Amino acid sequence: MIVFSGDLDKAIASFILANGAAASGKKVTLFFTFWGLNILRKSEKVPVAKTFIGQMFGMMMPRGSRKLSLSRMNMLGMGAKMIRGVMNNNNVSSLEELMASAIHQGVEIVACQMSMDLMGIRQEELIDGVKIGGVGYYLGKADQSGINLFI
């Protein structure tokens, strides 16, 4: 799956699909590119050397999964809090739990090197367990797969 969006609801859907596929014995690769990389960012600030543009991107983008907004009805962050509450009340794992479960099940989490370079994101800023790869790596995985999704 290509995870292009950095919206909370799309991130949740991506990891629910990945966990379901992994639980059924499928090999799963999630390829995060552009805004999707924000899902993989650590929530705490990591001291790394960046260009001016990289610093600007870093300040404007959400840092980590807990800062993501909803694609619709965000309402200054209230929508994201509401969906997290509804998920909790219905015993649905949080995005962070879904991410940990996916990594535990062997889902391959890959960050796009080109997107990282363009947006000034460094590997040290990403959560543990993330591989770095390029378009060629993604295409190789997609070629081996019977299913390819873009989220």
Side-chain angles (χ1 to χ4, degrees):
M1 286 183 250
I2 296 175
V3 183
F4 175 84
S5 175
D7 294 326
L8 175 62
D9 44 331
K10 294 173 185 167
I12 292 167
S14 298
F15 278 97
I16 287 174
L17 289 167
N19 276 298
S24 68
K26 304 277 191 251
K27 290 185 180 181
V28 181
T29 300
L30 293 175
F31 186 78
F32 291 81
T33 187
F34 289 99
W35 311 119
L37 290 170
N38 291 321
I39 300 165
L40 303 178
R41 290 180 73 198
K42 291 178 180 174
S43 55
E44 67 276 356
K45 187 172 181 157
V46 177
V48 292
K50 291 187 171 195
T51 65
F52 177 73
I53 297 296
Q55 290 173 355
M56 293 297 103
F57 266 118
M59 286 191 295
M60 293 185 290
M61 295 184 307
R63 186 176 291 126
S65 60
R66 294 197 182 274
K67 300 287 184 182
L68 301 176
S69 61
L70 284 177
S71 60
R72 305 258 191 267
M73 302 185 326
N74 190 49
M75 302 176 291
L76 301 173
M78 289 305 298
K81 286 182 179 31
M82 286 174 24
I83 194 69
R84 284 181 180 274
V86 168
M87 289 171 65
N88 185 47
N89 291 341
N90 287 284
N91 297 317
V92 175
S93 298
S94 70
L95 174 57
E96 295 73 27
E97 291 166 335
L98 290 167
M99 292 169 68
S101 175
I103 291 169
H104 179 75
Q105 288 192 79
V107 171
E108 189 174 31
I109 310 290
V110 182
C112 177
Q113 180 68 64
M114 183 201 67
S115 295
M116 289 175 63
D117 292 345
L118 292 174
M119 298 173 79
I121 297 174
R122 305 281 303 270
Q123 185 171 6
E124 297 86 358
E125 297 178 274
L126 302 178
I127 61 173
D128 294 336
V130 175
K131 295 180 182 179
I132 308 299
V135 173
Y137 185 80
Y138 158 73
L139 291 173
K141 290 294 188 175
D143 192 45
Q144 298 169 4
S145 174
I147 299 172
N148 193 17
L149 303 173
F150 185 93
I151 301 173

